[in-house]
Amino acid sequence: MKLHSSNTQQYQTVTSYEDNGVEINLIPFSNSLIVLPEIAPSAWPVTSFDALTIEHFEQINAISPDVVILGTGKRQRFVHPRLTAPLTTRRIGVECMDNQAACRTYNILMTEGRKVALALIFDVDPTPATTA
């Protein structure tokens, strides 16, 4: 889905999303990543929702957002509280939603001037493609 442009060109804005990827300022990404309004998107080494570890959330904790919007893939799933403990002990909220809702929510919070982190999970197929 393409999103409308706004006055946020100096920020990292979700400009489009699909089930298998996202565009940040018109640049496509298809692997899991972390996006903040004023910092270029960075790779997030998460291959699937089930592969999440406390270390993944410590990586987000290091950037000290006010709130984390966690895109859990094509459908909404909820992460175990022990994994988000590095964030919740610092009173950083974590909201779980499917990737499309996460992208929309991030854009809204970002335009409000919030220090929001968008963490998106895109499942990586562990089987390499074969050619015949």
Side-chain angles (χ1 to χ4, degrees), residues 16-101:
S16 176
Y17 54 79
E18 296 180 12
D19 285 342
N20 298 320
V22 65
E23 284 185 1
I24 307 296
N25 292 352
L26 303 176
I27 300 170
F29 296 88
S30 59
N31 289 53
S32 299
L33 72 155
I34 299 172
V35 183
L36 286 111
E38 297 178 346
I39 300 172
S42 61
W44 196 34
V46 179
T47 57
S48 70
F49 179 85
D50 294 327
L52 282 170
T53 66
I54 196 167
E55 289 79 17
H56 294 126
F57 291 97
E58 287 172 346
Q59 181 180 354
I60 297 170
N61 189 31
I63 54 181
S64 300
D66 292 335
V67 64
V68 177
I69 305 301
L70 176 63
T72 59
K74 295 178 185 177
R75 65 185 176 95
Q76 182 181 28
R77 299 175 72 179
F78 296 96
V79 67
H80 194 283
R82 72 176 160 73
L83 296 178
T84 59
L87 298 164
T88 55
T89 57
R90 293 186 54 211
R91 303 181 63 84
I92 298 171
V94 179
E95 297 293 332
C96 299
M97 52 194 77
D98 67 69
N99 282 354
Q100 292 186 8

